Structure formats: C-alpha cells, structure tokens
Amino acid sequence: MSRRTIRVLAGIAAAGITLTACGVGGGSDSDDTETQQRAGSCELSEEATSDEPVTGEVAGEITFQTTALKQDFSPYFETVIAEFEEMHPDVTVNWQDDPGDASFTQRLVTDAQSCQLPDVVNLNQITAYALYRENFLLDLDVKAPEIGDAFIPSVWDSLVMPGIDSHYVLPWYWGLTGIQTFNTALMERAGLDPSTPPTTIDEQFDAAAQIAETSGGEFFAFSANPMWRLPSDWQLMNVEITNEDETEFTFADDPAALHWTERMAELYQAGALPADTISSSDDPTTLYSQGRIVWGSTNASSLRFVQESNAEVYAATGVASLLSERGHAFQDGQLIAVPSTSDNPAAALAFAEYLLSPEKQSEFISDERISNFPSTEESLSIPKLTEITGDDALAQANRLSVELAQNAENAFIYAWSDAVNSAIIGEIQLAMQGDKSPQEALDAAQDKANDILSQG
Amino acid sequence: MARGGAALYRAWWVPFLWVGPAIVAVAVWGIFPFVNTVLLSFTDAKPLGGGGAFVGLDNYARLLDDPDFWLATKNSVLYAVFAVPLLVLLPLILAQLVFKKIPGIGFFRSAFYTPVLASMVAVGLVWQNLLSDQGPINTALGKLHLIDDAVPFLSDSTLILASAIALTVWKGLGWYMIFYLAALANVPRDLYEAAELDGAGPVRRFIHITIPGVRLTMMLIGILSGIGSLRVFTEIYVLGGATGGPGGQARTLPFYIRDAALDPIAGNAGYGAAISVALFAMTCVLALLAHKFGSKED
C-alpha cells in the first residue's frame, strides 16, 4: 500500500473518529400501541406495566444510586443497606454514587437508553420529568398506593407531574429558595443599613445601584450571570412565565419581566455586578466567600462552605427572608424514583420506602453537615430543627428556614429545561451587555424557548 | 526463500482470529456509531424514548436557516484557522530548543509536557482565574499603565474565543513537542554539519533542513490539531460558562450539538446528528487539504 493511500485512509479514519465522537444517541422507534409496555427501547415486565400494586417477593439484587453523597456519608448508607439486607436476607443492594456534576442528567439518560437504570435512583426534578415522559418511572399511586402516607402533605401533593395527578417520584431531602444571605460589613461600606435588608427584588436592585455608586469597583452587589437569578426572581415577582399547563412561555408579555431585565441591564452597565461573571458558571458562593459580592446564595446550605472558607466573611454574614411579591418560599429537593425497568421492583420499592422512612430520614437529617429538610412529617420534629441554638449565620438561616418551610411551595417549572435555560439566559446576557434592548431580548428568548418546547 | 514451517500449517481463518478483537472494537465503537449518527440525521429522534420518524432532509434544510448553527460553524472554523498553525509551528520551535543534549534539559522537556497531563477543566479554571477582571494578567497590565479598564477576557465573546484558543495551544504544546522530538531525531545530523560548513546560519538551517525533515510530522500534527480544534468544547465551557459566552456567541459546533441534541426534555437527537454530519464534512475537507499539502512532497 502506498504512502499516499495510507494518508487518505488515515484522513478518512480520523474524520470518522470525529463524527462518532460527536455523534448523538437516540432511541429506536416505538409503536404507540406498545407505549405502556416499553420505555424507550426497553421491554417492561408485566409486574411493571399492570394496573396492580407490586406484591412480589422482596428478593433479588438491586442497584441503588445516590448523587454526590459517597464522599461524606458512606458510613450512613452502608448502615442503611446492611440493616435492610438483614431485614430481607434475599436482597442484595449494590450501592453506587454519581458525582452529580453537569453531566448527571446526560449520564442517566444514557443509562436509560441502554436499559441500565439503577433500581432505586436519587435524581432531581428535571431528570425525573425526562424519565417520566418516556415511561421510565413506576406510577407509585398504582404500584405502591400507600407509599406517600408518611410524607409532609404539602410536599407530597406538589410532587405530581404537569397535567396529571399521579406520583412518579418520592421526596427526599430538600432546601428552600426564599432567603437572602448578605455581607453586613460590605453593606455598611456602601452606606446601606444591614438591619433593614431589602424585602423585594426591586428593593434589592435599588441597593445594588447604591453599591455601584459607592464601592468604587472594589466589591459588587451579586453575580452578573442571570442564570443564578432565573427563574426564581421572576417567580418571586409573580411573572407569568408560562401558561397554566406549561405548554407555552409567556414571560415576554409580562411588564414585570421587562422591568427586571431593564434593571439588570442598568446594574450591569453601572458596574454594580462583576462584569467577568456575566456568563461564568462559578457559584456565587465562591465570589461571596472571597468578599467580592454583597449577596451570596439564596440557599442556607451554602453557608457551611462560607464558614469553612472564610471565617471573616462568615462572621459578617446576615440572613433574612426575601419573598418579594410572592410571599412564599420555594422548596426544591432531591428525589428518589424506582424505574419501570427494574427487574426486582418489589425489592426496589421496599428499599426506597425504608430509606425514606421517618426513622432513617431523622437519622440522616440529624447529621450536622446537612442543612436540608426531611420529607416526612415526623422527621421535622427532630431536635436539630426544633431546638436551634446559637446566633451565627447558619443558626439564623436554619431558624428562618424552619419558619419558612411551613408554607413553602414546590413551584418547579418543568418546561424550563436546560436548553430553555440556556436560550433565555443567553438573550438576557445580550440585553445586559447592551447588544439588544430588553424587550428585544425577551421576545427573542421567548421565541427560542417556545421553539425548543415545541420540539419536546 | 522458504517460509517458516509453522505458517504452512495454519488454517486460513487464523489471521482473522488475531485481528478479530480489533475488528469487533472498531465495528462497535467506530462504525456503528458512525452509521447510527448518519441515519439519525434523517429522523426527528429524541434523546430518550425513540420517536425517530423519518423526516428526509428536513434537519439539513433547518441547518441552512439556523443562525446559531452558522455562528457555531464560524467559531469552529476560526478556532481551527488560528489554533492549527500555532500548534504546528510553536511545538516545532519548542522541540528545537529542547532537542539539544545539554545538562538539565530534561527538566525543561518535562516542564513543557506537564500541562498535557493536567485535566482541561483544571487548567481551564486556572486560566479563568488568570484572565478575570481582577486576575494577575489584568492587574499586571494595569500596574504597567498599559490599560485603564480591565481587558474583558471573560465577558467579550471574541476574547473568550481567543483565550480558549490560547489555552488549547498552551496545553497542546508539550504533546506535539514529543512528536517533533521523535521526528527531529530522524533528521540526518550530517545535513546540518554540511550546511554549517557552507555558511548557513541557524534560521536557514531551520528553514531548509529542519522543516523539510519533519514535513510529514507537520502534516500529521496539522490533521490532529485540526480535528482537535473542531471538537473543542471544554475550553469554551470553562471560560465562557454554560451558555458558551454571553448570548452563546462563543459556542463551537460541539457546544451547539450539546445544546440542540442532548437536553433530555427538549433535545432533538436527529438535528444534533445532522450537525455532527456537517462537522464530519468539515473534518473531511480538512483531511483532504492536509493530504493535498502532503502530496506535494511525493
């Protein structure tokens, strides 16, 4: 074979590698009449597809997957698994942990495509929705009708998928959106009174404008990337983001969304926000810990990171609610699901129920390293949540969170997928940089979001 | 000449047995995904659950009218146009510098190779810190009174692309330097000695002896770095964030494939596959150009 031929073949092979590496997967065709018997290209068992509860023998080997918990909580899970296996000697639980990074959903989707989903899986709402839509999750109201009895009613009731009343996921530990954490020392330097923090998004923007005027670029109000503020800011401002059944985005027609975008653009151009964070994926907690921004995360659990990384900033941290026009905090949490592809659904459901039992959740949430809430009513009365002492930022945040948790609502927007998020955030970024007017950006964002939605 | 005795008694299928595992591996991880991607590009398949109805050339027609696709294509081409020449020339100069056998040169060879061993995410984060508004580079430029305001390396889409190219080149230098070190070892030393006797200086020796001597390696590096440039994702993601710079203006084709195809709720795997095929076509063009360039030597 000549060198010339070798070169041609090498070139074609190299190009082929590029295509296969950039290729994307896709499921096989499915017949509508078989939809309920299949999930993607996976055949489902009679036990998974019948209209009867799962009553089979609790036996067999199951895989349990958590998200980013192995490093810190291995002893807890090893104990839970050992206890369960002792109660059910015919069951073997294999535990695996996903790092929970940006590729989490894609990894789980790949597992689903290849019919390799774990039997009991810890996931977030968007991933759960993606799996539910393709029939990958068991209908718990049918398969385990009483499994939801122990959960906090408001949490359990809010965990239905859009447009239906059935439950496909179980709530686990959860956090709140609705508090603000702020650096009181920087506030004072900006001439703001930390004892009267803003109570609405608009008031926070007013304070941010004052920070721009007084900080001289030494510190800023909050991260510039709108991805950290949407959709929660719009939800707190009662923006009509979608229509009722989440089949169409409508935010561009809402004056509150326009007002929000205009103000974000003004703040960015006035130097209230660190310019180099406009598209950065850096968590605001990192910037906050460095003393670069006045407002940190809206999630109380982030304070533990601040405490560990910068004691001075932590000592200066104030905590208050920021519920704006909405008046309620939002809850968003980790879920547990049992995929319909499980070979041992009885064992999987039994393990999920044991893991989420009041007893086990009380043990888990009692761990001082966890700043989240349990999903069972009984576990809410553990001393850690009812007898909070101390006056540091974490204690304040925990007390406030317990208070807000009483009427928190799950306001998750299933239509706000990752692709929609990128499209909307991208247009807002252009408005902030002055490349588009706020209304043009909102219109373009809405068109793109609806275009993406129509493909789903 | 008589062949070895054992070979005479081998069954006809024995050679296939030796190459069988490789053929299976290539078929499973190379040919099947390739064919699958091409077929998918004619469907509206979703990332999950099938639904891949045949849509003919719709995905390709959509490509032509999709401004985001053309922006990503422009960015990918620009990436290759700037990164490839730098990745062909700079490692050669670097290799030339560390090729000499002098005491302590091993340290420099190792030092130049170190970035290759680090993960792109890790070095990307270091670069992000260096390039931030209050980072060392802007601080140094400010102290030297070269700038009044921080250079927006991380908030201007063009500068994000330029920074990502610089990162790709910096990280690739050590890797391609190794290729050149191997190639330089094969260039006859007497050519250099003869040229030196004829009065050729270092620059003329580099142009007239070194470059022709490593020309095939240059072509190989051109192809490899070109393919690498067309597949860039991580650098843009780390420096430009999840949107690929403000408004997604710094997105490359692989970045756009992710956005268009992989969202489990609204992704369109068929359209993503069509973009992949377009990227494949670009890679073929690059390979053919490199082949044409290399053919001149024959």
Side-chain angles (χ1 to χ4, degrees), chain B residues 99-286:
Chain B
F99 187 64
K100 294 188 174 70
K101 291 188 174 79
I102 55 174
I105 200 68
F107 168 78
F108 289 98
R109 286 183 184 178
S110 305
F112 293 140
Y113 191 74
T114 303
V116 178
L117 302 175
S119 87
M120 182 55 88
V121 173
V123 295
L125 290 172
V126 172
W127 273 60
Q128 186 195 42
N129 185 266
L130 289 173
L131 297 171
S132 65
D133 285 359
Q134 294 175 332
I137 292 177
N138 270 311
T139 305
L141 292 173
K143 290 212 185 282
L144 292 170
H145 302 291
L146 294 173
I147 54 171
D148 292 325
D149 298 316
V151 180
F153 291 113
L154 302 178
S155 53
D156 179 280
S157 295
T158 308
L159 288 176
I160 289 173
L161 264 182
S163 304
I165 290 170
L167 172 56
T168 301
V169 171
W170 172 78
K171 195 170 185 308
L173 283 180
W175 175 244
Y176 294 122
M177 179 190 77
I178 298 292
F179 285 58
Y180 280 126
L181 284 174
L184 286 173
N186 290 326
V187 180
R189 306 315 301 164
D190 49 3
L191 288 179
Y192 287 101
E193 288 158 10
E196 206 170 347
L197 284 174
D198 290 342
V203 175
R204 289 190 69 188
R205 292 202 298 273
F206 181 75
I207 293 171
H208 294 292
I209 299 175
T210 304
I211 289 183
V214 299
R215 195 180 181 101
L216 279 177
T217 305
M218 290 174 85
M219 187 192 79
L220 175 68
I221 290 175
I223 293 177
L224 292 176
S225 61
I227 292 170
S229 299
L230 292 175
R231 290 172 58 186
V232 158
F233 173 84
T234 311
E235 291 92 321
I236 301 292
Y237 188 89
V238 175
L239 297 178
T243 48
Q249 301 289 302
R251 280 188 298 188
T252 51
L253 278 171
F255 210 111
Y256 188 49
I257 290 169
R258 181 202 73 144
D259 286 354
L262 298 181
D263 185 296
I265 305 290
N268 186 333
Y271 187 54
I275 305 171
S276 293
V277 173
L279 181 56
F280 168 71
M282 287 170 59
T283 313
C284 284
V285 169
L286 183 86

Side-chain angles (χ1 to χ4, degrees), chain A residues 3-4 7-8 11 14-30 40 102 105-106 109 112-113 126 129-131 133-134 136 217-218 220 227 268 275-276 278-282 292 414 417-420 422 425-427 429-430 433 448 451-453 455-456, chain B residues 29-30 33-34 36-38 40 45-53 62 68 128 132-134 154-155 160 216 219 223 227 231 237 240-243 245-249 254 257-259 261-269 272-273 276-277 279-280 283-284 287 291 294-295 298:
Chain A
R3 288 166 74 193
R4 186 190 178 94
R7 270 202 295 267
V8 171
I17 289 166
T18 307
L19 180 60
T20 54
C22 291
V24 286
S28 59
D29 289 345
S30 60
T105 300
Q106 282 159 24
V109 164
Q113 283 173 332
I126 200 77
Y129 183 52
L131 295 177
R133 291 200 329 167
E134 301 300 340
F136 276 103
E218 287 181 33
F220 303 92
M227 74 181 268
Y268 184 78
D276 56 356
I278 180 97
S279 64
S280 163
S281 298
D282 281 354
R292 284 188 68 198
Y414 289 93
S417 65
D418 290 347
V420 165
S422 287
I425 298 301
E427 291 298 324
Q429 287 166 342
L430 293 178
Q433 290 195 320
K448 282 186 176 180
D451 190 37
I452 292 167
L453 203 57
Q455 294 169 33
Chain B
W29 286 294
F34 178 94
N36 186 42
T37 301
V38 174
L40 271 179
K46 303 287 180 282
L48 260 177
R62 184 178 156 194
D68 288 335
Q128 186 195 42
S132 65
D133 285 359
Q134 294 175 332
L154 302 178
S155 53
I160 289 173
L216 279 177
M219 187 192 79
I223 293 177
I227 292 170
R231 290 172 58 186
Y237 188 89
T243 48
Q249 301 289 302
I257 290 169
R258 181 202 73 144
D259 286 354
L262 298 181
D263 185 296
I265 305 290
N268 186 333
S276 293
V277 173
L279 181 56
F280 168 71
T283 313
C284 284
H291 171 244
S295 298
D298 295 336

Side-chain angles (χ1 to χ4, degrees), chain A residues 12 46 102 109 155 213 378:
Chain A
I12 291 171
E46 173 67 20
V109 164
V155 174
E213 288 168 12
E378 196 180 318

